[in-house]
Structure formats: C-alpha cells, structure tokens
Amino acid sequence: MNRKLGLCLVSAVAGVFAMGSAQAMSTAQITTRINDNLRVTLAGNTRPEAVAANDRGLVSDSTPIQHAEILLRRTSAQEKELDTLIAALHNPKSPQYHKWLTATQFGKRFGADPSDVAKITSWLSSHGLSVEAVSTGKMMIAFSGNAGAVRGAFHTEIHNLSVGGAHHIANMSDPQIPAALSRAVAGIVSLNDFRPHSDLVPRGKPALTGTCGSYGACLAVMPADFATIYNLNPEFANGITGKGQTIVVIEDTGIGNGSTQTLSGADWTTFRKTAGLSGYTSGSFTQINPAPASGANDCANPGINSNEGEATLDAEWASASAPDAAIVMASCQDGVTFGGLIALQNLLDSANPPPIVSISYGECEPVNGSASNAMFNATYQQAVAEGTTVFVSSGDESATSCDANARMARHGISTSGFATTPYNVAVGGTDFGDTPADCVSSAFPACNKKYWATKNTAVFGSAKSYIPEVPWNDSCAGTVFATYASGSPVAYGKNGFCNSPEGARFLTTGSGSGGPSTCATGTPARFAVTGGSCAGWAKPAWQAGVFGNPADGVRDIPDVSLFAANGLWGHFYVFCDSNGGHCSPTQPNTWNGAGGTSFASPIFAGIMALIEQKTGARQGNANTVFYALAASEYGKKGSSKCNSTLGKKTASTCVFHDVTAGDFDVNCVGANNCYDPSGRVGVVSASNTAYQPAYPATAGWDYTTGLGTVNVTNLVNAWPK
C-alpha cells in the first residue's frame, strides 16, 4: 500500500528532477545608481483601516518603529528552480527526495544577491534606520528606527488611528522606494501595530436546554476522548507516542502562573497529570525566544499578554496527541511585525530548524495585504525546503475571514492569508453530529449514550468510538441547526430561522473556516472586500484532481480537519489555564471550555510527530501525502464506506472520515456575498441573487472540512516510508 502511494505522489511533479550543473544562483538586480528622487510605490502595504475617518493625526517623529521587514525578490529563474526543487524534495522517485536544504544553502541558492542586500542596507542606514538582521535565507531585511526616519526613507507618514475604540499607529499611504531598488524589493511587511487574531473561541451558547453542571452532561472532549474518537490508542500502545520528536507552537506571548504572572509550565504539567499523560515521561515543555542567526537580537521576551490562553491550549493539546514529544513554545515580542512571524523566521534560519510547527493565528487576505501575504508564503516556502511541516489553523469564521469574531458577516467571501499559501497545511474544524441526529425527541444528554458513557474514567474519558461529524457551525444560518430548531433548513428570508426570535440568539460567524484564495496578491478596491486587483495563490499540483476539489485554478482550504467546536451541541475542549483562574488539579469540570481551529492545528502537529517517529524522517509539506492518500481513498466519486455519517460503522480501513452532512454557512447583511430576499438577516452565498450557500459539506474534498478528519492509526501506517 505504501509503495503504491509513493507512485501517487508522482502526479504532483511533471518529471523526475535531477540536479544539473547549471543552477540559477543569485543575480544582482540593482544595476543602476540609487536616486532618491526617482521613486516607485510598493502597493499592498497599507492597512485598510488607514483612512480619514480613523485618522487622529501624525505621530511624533521620535515614535519608535521596531522590527519592520523588507521582503526581497527572487529572480524569475530562481523562483522557477525553487518550485522545481520543492516538488523534487517531496517526490519519492526523485534523487533529491527528502534531501532537505540548510538555511545557508537556501540563501546561497535562492536568496537575494549579496550586492543587492548590501545596497539596500546601505540605503536604509543613510536614512537613519538601523539594520537589525539579514535572514540567512537572504529573503528578509529587518530594520528599526523612528517615525521621522521612516517618513524620510519611504515617503509615507505614520499616524495615530482610532479603530473600534482602540488606538493604533499605521502608515497612511503605500511606501515608496527609489526605482533602482524596485526589482530587488517585493514589499514592506508592516509599518503598523495591528495584530492577527488568535483562532480560539470561548465556549458559546448551547443549542439544548438542560444541566451542564458536570462534564459528563456537557460531553466535553478530554485527551482520552480524542484518542478514542480518532483512534490514537493503538499507536500509543505500540510505542508511537511522539518520542524523540519536537513540536514548536508559534506565539507572541509567554505562559505562566496566574498568581505571580511569572513564566511557568505548571499548567501544562497539571493538564497532563489530570488527563493521564504524565506517564509518558519523555514529554517536555520549554519556552524560548529564538534569536536570529546573525545580527542584533530582535526577539525580546514578550512577557504574558492577552494571548496567554491561546498559547496555553496550543502547548497542552499538542502534547495530548503526542504525549512523549518535546513541546517548544517559541515567541518574540511584537514590533510592527507580528512577533510569531519573527520567531518562526529566526528558527528557520537556525542550524536546527524545527521539524513541525503549529500556528493558531490568522488575518484575512485582503486585510493582511499583499506584502504580508507574500512574506508568509516566502517563510513557509523556506520551511518546506528545509523539511519543516507547517500547520496553520484555517480560522473560526466560515468563508468570511474578514469578519472574524463578529456577530454578522459583512465583507463577503475571504480566507486567512496565514493559511492559504501552497506551503502550509491548513487545518479546519468539525463538530460531532450525534446530538442533532439523536436528540430531537430524546432528553439531553441521555440521547448521547450511543457514543458517550454516562460516567468518566479516572482520566475523564467517556467517548466510546468514532462519532459522526458535521462542519463546526454556531450560526443560525447552518441548515443542521435551523432544521433542528425550527423544523426547516431555511434560515434566510422573513420567515427563515435567522429572522426568528430564537434564531436571533445565534447571530455569529463562529464556525470552521475555508474557501478559495481570492486576494493573496493585489489590492482590494474596498475595505476588506475581495475585488480591485486581487488574485489568489495558484492551485498547487498536489491539490488538483482530488475528488471534490474544484477546478478553480486557485489554492483552496482547509486541507484536513479535526473536532473544533465550542459547545453548540454540548461538545467542546477544556484546557488548564491558571492565568484565567481555571486550573484546579484533578478538576477539569472547573477548567476553561472552548473551541476553535486553535485546537485542531496543534493537535494535528502532534499527529505529525507520530508519523515522523514512525518514519524516522522529516516530511516537509505533508499535503503532498495527504492528497495522495485521499485520491486513493476517494477515487472518482468518493468513498461511501468512509462517510462520516456512518459513525462507528465507518470501515476500519479508512484513513479519512469524509464529512458530507451540514455546512458552515453563517448569517450576513449587506451586498457582499449575502443572499437576503427579505427580512433583516441573510446568509452568506456565492451569489447575491440566488441561494448558493458558502459552503456545504459534500463527498470528497470540500471547503468546510477539506479532505475530512482522520483515523490516526490508519494514517500513520499508510504513510510512505
């Protein structure tokens, strides 16, 4: 079976790549004198919030601008050769298979020419800006200074903004650079202090009435439940526990003790002990602030901030699926660049880049901007060339990533720029379908006895088997919820569920996320709305042709999914966080309850650690294998025996559980992808004039759950050696 899968991977590569003597080494692109009076504009470098309505005036010239990043540009020959090499690194038939590059090798072969780097750094210095570091991969120059120096160098003003009652600073126009530099510079990642959002969603409103005084009633998910549902226990019994593997969770905060606010791993230890994981004695947790390979140390300790809960759950739940792995939390203090990106870049430039990374943050493509989208693409590109697998949460807001954490979608279809590159694995979210299927006429939670025991084990497990899944969706617009609550799947229109008093309690964009890449490059014409010169990342070869994936020419997400719900049907995760006041030892019923693809991404990173322990090798872009496995399982029409609706009756041989019921459509208002024939509230639709919900679960790949969820033991054993 594994040998056959190896052949499937060949479809992702046009031919076998052989190392030739002629390699596209760096070539100087700055060939004329730098004239500050002859300038070009770097488009896609301004936040959409930087408008007159939010403007509160020019910042002081002395305002510090810390750790800005210039993204350098490869020659077209370098870019073509890099694409060919990455395909070869993942092709079992190639002589380059898994011969990963070092950061130094990557920089020499695919980075900017040293003479270009020298000219750009000299130009920055001439304007009073301090160069902090040049990446080993030779694609990034980090610099700092003050607002006055930035204005002088880039001819853009930094202003104070007031957005939603919060203070920010940002450049009010796209920066300009001398025309002589333009062939070598792709953009400036950020000249603002806006930050991405984490993909953590606190426990929400339950759909069912009844007591939730104990976690037996609420059917919450603990590590023992997860291991049963997704079939990890056979691997654990065989010693495949993540031993010898390292998982890095990327953050911009530390985690610590709630009473002293000092950095601590005490909660991680309590979580593992309570969940029955402390017997896996090789498991460990450390916090690091990775310095760059060269230059000034641009990675300050960020301390403990509002993302502490996110970081805590990432570390705990990565350990849940790989209990013997070393969990490393890497964080840097934010500059005008996201601290998590700084940490990842520094790690990838090190002599020992991490084998597995998880990122649980995001920002929609139109708002993230083309320069930042390009930097994430370039960073992940270097990662997979070094053999690093990057998991990224797809988001918690349906197909409307520009409306994260909102009650109503307003900006139309969009996806997260952190997750849509061709070089990362985007992880989506599901909910369990037992409650809506079995609890229509039965008392809650007695109706769940088919899949959940009435009492917990000593480590708080109660799940009996795999459970049918639907896309995670808290919105009144979801057809599963609308049908359950109102007897009709119709959520739109004056008589639809979203316009009813009961439906109005569930106006939210909270759900799993996915959709097509639509604005990775270019600039939208309107705030946070795909349009203008926007275009998506091209569809990678390994994604094309898998049953269900549309022939749309662009990268689609998610790739895979796991449970990520926050309690609509009584199911959610718990995590131990004393910083939030909820970490009593042995009492998980008092801990925080939450959901979000924040959980799904680090858990999948843990699953990857099992694969790498079993194979003894780094895997780079794991999507090349995920999609090959799915192509084998789904064939030309899908696999009825692996349909998730079968629950415990799914075939024992399935690698993927194909989620085919439900949707993650959410409520909306306005004219952007919102179908609203009558009433106050519509539903997100691919058409404004017809009901084309965005999006339903279907056979094979779909926008709601990608390839579906996994039977972990089957996945690990099907992975090609």
Side-chain angles (χ1 to χ4, degrees):
M1 182 175 180
N2 291 342
R3 291 177 180 174
K4 292 180 180 179
L5 272 174
L7 297 177
C8 293
L9 294 176
V10 179
S11 63
V13 184
V16 176
F17 177 86
M19 291 288 287
S21 57
Q23 296 181 0
M25 305 301 286
S26 62
T27 301
Q29 300 192 83
I30 303 173
T31 57
T32 59
R33 184 176 65 86
I34 299 172
N35 184 342
D36 263 323
N37 295 318
L38 296 177
R39 289 181 167 260
V40 296
T41 299
L42 297 173
N45 287 262
T46 304
R47 287 284 298 199
E49 297 91 346
V51 294
N54 298 328
D55 191 359
R56 299 299 182 267
L58 188 69
V59 304
S60 166
D61 275 359
S62 62
T63 301
I65 304 298
Q66 298 294 329
H67 195 102
E69 292 186 354
I70 289 178
L71 174 63
L72 303 176
R73 193 193 309 274
R74 295 188 184 93
T75 65
S76 58
Q78 283 178 306
E79 198 68 51
K80 182 177 180 180
E81 185 180 330
L82 178 55
D83 287 342
T84 303
L85 177 61
I86 288 175
L89 290 170
H90 295 84
N91 176 12
K93 283 195 167 184
S94 167
Q96 298 306 306
Y97 182 58
H98 283 192
K99 292 182 179 179
W100 311 115
L101 302 183
T102 66
T104 299
Q105 290 170 332
F106 185 91
K108 286 182 177 179
R109 190 167 168 191
F110 300 110
D113 190 83
S115 68
D116 288 346
V117 173
K119 290 174 183 177
I120 295 169
T121 56
S122 177
W123 176 78
L124 290 168
S125 297
S126 73
H127 283 277
L129 296 167
S130 174
V131 175
E132 295 176 350
V134 176
S135 65
T136 307
K138 295 295 188 292
M139 287 303 295
M140 183 275 291
I141 298 173
F143 67 92
S144 294
N146 59 40
V150 167
R151 184 177 69 251
F154 297 103
H155 290 198
T156 184
E157 295 182 344
I158 309 296
H159 281 216
N160 295 293
L161 301 179
S162 179
V163 181
H167 174 264
H168 290 279
I169 63 169
N171 53 305
M172 297 301 291
S173 61
D174 281 339
Q176 298 176 8
I177 59 172
L181 305 181
S182 62
R183 289 182 61 192
V185 174
I188 301 176
V189 175
S190 172
L191 290 174
N192 64 74
D193 67 353
F194 287 87
R195 293 292 161 261
H197 58 83
S198 73
D199 290 322
L200 161 66
V201 181
R203 183 178 162 197
K205 302 181 185 75
L208 302 173
T209 59
T211 178
C212 277
S214 72
Y215 274 62
C218 288
L219 311 168
V221 176
M222 285 287 285
D225 298 311
F226 188 92
T228 295
I229 295 164
Y230 291 114
N231 199 29
L232 281 74
N233 288 322
E235 291 307 295
F236 290 171
N238 287 329
I240 304 301
T241 57
K243 191 172 184 178
Q245 309 304 307
T246 298
I247 302 164
V248 174
V249 292
I250 297 294
E251 313 292 345
D252 66 346
T253 179
I255 65 176
N257 183 281
S259 60
T260 63
Q261 291 290 293
T262 55
L263 295 177
S264 169
D267 289 350
W268 184 85
T269 300
T270 299
F271 175 85
R272 282 171 54 87
K273 183 175 181 180
T274 303
L277 303 176
S278 56
Y280 296 96
T281 55
S282 294
S284 63
F285 172 71
T286 55
Q287 302 186 55
I288 64 171
N289 310 117
S294 62
N297 189 348
D298 60 348
C299 186
N301 186 330
I304 299 172
N305 60 43
S306 60
N307 284 320
E308 194 267 354
E310 172 65 59
T312 297
L313 75 87
D314 288 347
E316 290 175 356
W317 278 92
S319 182
S321 53
D324 263 329
I327 310 300
V328 177
M329 198 193 79
S331 61
C332 294
Q333 186 175 19
D334 295 323
V336 290
T337 299
F338 171 50
L341 178 59
I342 299 170
L344 177 58
Q345 290 168 333
N346 289 350
L347 287 170
L348 293 175
D349 276 345
S350 70
N352 296 295
I356 304 166
V357 165
S358 174
I359 302 174
S360 291
Y361 297 81
E363 182 66 274
C364 70
E365 288 180 336
V367 172
N368 201 40
S370 60
S372 184
N373 291 333
M375 181 59 89
F376 276 93
N377 184 75
T379 302
Y380 300 164
Q381 198 174 28
Q382 179 176 336
V384 299
E386 295 177 7
T388 299
T389 307
V390 182
F391 292 91
V392 185
S393 53
S394 66
D396 302 335
E397 57 279 336
S398 184
T400 60
S401 283
C402 289
D403 294 299
N405 303 314
R407 291 188 72 239
M408 200 75 68
R410 301 174 185 273
H411 297 103
I413 293 172
S414 62
T415 45
S416 170
F418 285 40
T420 54
T421 88
Y423 307 106
N424 66 274
V425 179
V427 187
T430 66
D431 202 342
F432 296 129
D434 57 323
T435 304
D438 299 335
C439 296
V440 175
S441 59
S442 302
F444 173 76
C447 49
N448 298 94
K449 289 181 180 179
K450 181 177 180 181
Y451 290 102
W452 300 84
T454 56
K455 292 183 179 180
N456 286 323
T457 65
V459 293
F460 301 95
S462 59
K464 296 179 178 180
S465 69
Y466 175 68
I467 304 170
E469 294 175 272
V470 294
W472 165 40
N473 190 352
D474 289 349
S475 171
C476 57
T479 54
V480 172
F481 186 25
T483 301
Y484 182 91
S486 70
S488 168
V490 178
Y492 55 86
K494 64 180 180 180
N495 296 317
F497 181 54
C498 283
N499 288 294
S500 69
E502 177 64 11
R505 295 179 55 233
F506 298 92
L507 295 174
T508 180
T509 59
S511 63
S513 283
S517 173
T518 58
C519 199
T521 64
T523 305
R526 291 182 291 155
F527 175 84
V529 177
T530 295
S533 59
C534 283
W537 295 121
K539 187 179 294 294
W542 43 258
Q543 187 169 54
V546 174
F547 178 74
N549 187 258
D552 55 4
V554 297
R555 169 79 162 111
D556 302 304
I557 63 170
D559 299 303
V560 290
S561 292
L562 291 171
F563 172 75
N566 68 323
L568 183 75
W569 301 112
H571 307 300
F572 50 90
Y573 287 105
V574 294
F575 65 102
C576 176
D577 180 17
S578 62
N579 197 62
H582 303 287
C583 193
S584 299
T586 74
Q587 298 182 50
N589 61 306
T590 67
W591 294 358
N592 286 324
T597 54
S598 275
F599 288 88
S601 181
I603 293 172
F604 227 117
I607 293 170
M608 198 70 212
L610 307 185
I611 292 168
E612 295 202 356
Q613 181 189 354
K614 188 73 172 276
T615 61
R618 290 169 170 261
Q619 297 297 320
N621 189 351
N623 275 329
T624 59
V625 178
F626 288 142
Y627 280 82
L629 287 165
S632 176
E633 182 168 296
Y634 292 152
K636 295 183 178 181
K637 60 180 180 179
S639 173
S640 59
K641 68 180 182 179
C642 296
N643 193 318
S644 173
T645 57
L646 296 174
K648 64 178 67 178
K649 294 182 180 179
T650 55
S652 61
T653 56
C654 298
V655 172
F656 293 97
H657 306 122
D658 188 6
V659 181
T660 62
D663 58 70
F664 64 22
D665 202 8
V666 296
N667 45 273
C668 61
V669 292
N672 300 310
N673 297 118
C674 188
Y675 179 61
D676 184 15
S678 60
R680 297 176 296 103
V681 178
V683 298
V684 175
S685 172
S687 168
N688 288 333
T689 59
Y691 179 54
Q692 297 178 18
Y695 289 99
T698 60
W701 187 97
D702 56 60
Y703 289 123
T704 61
T705 64
L707 299 171
T709 61
V710 292
N711 179 312
V712 173
T713 290
N714 290 348
L715 175 66
V716 170
N717 289 309
W719 204 270
K721 302 296 190 293

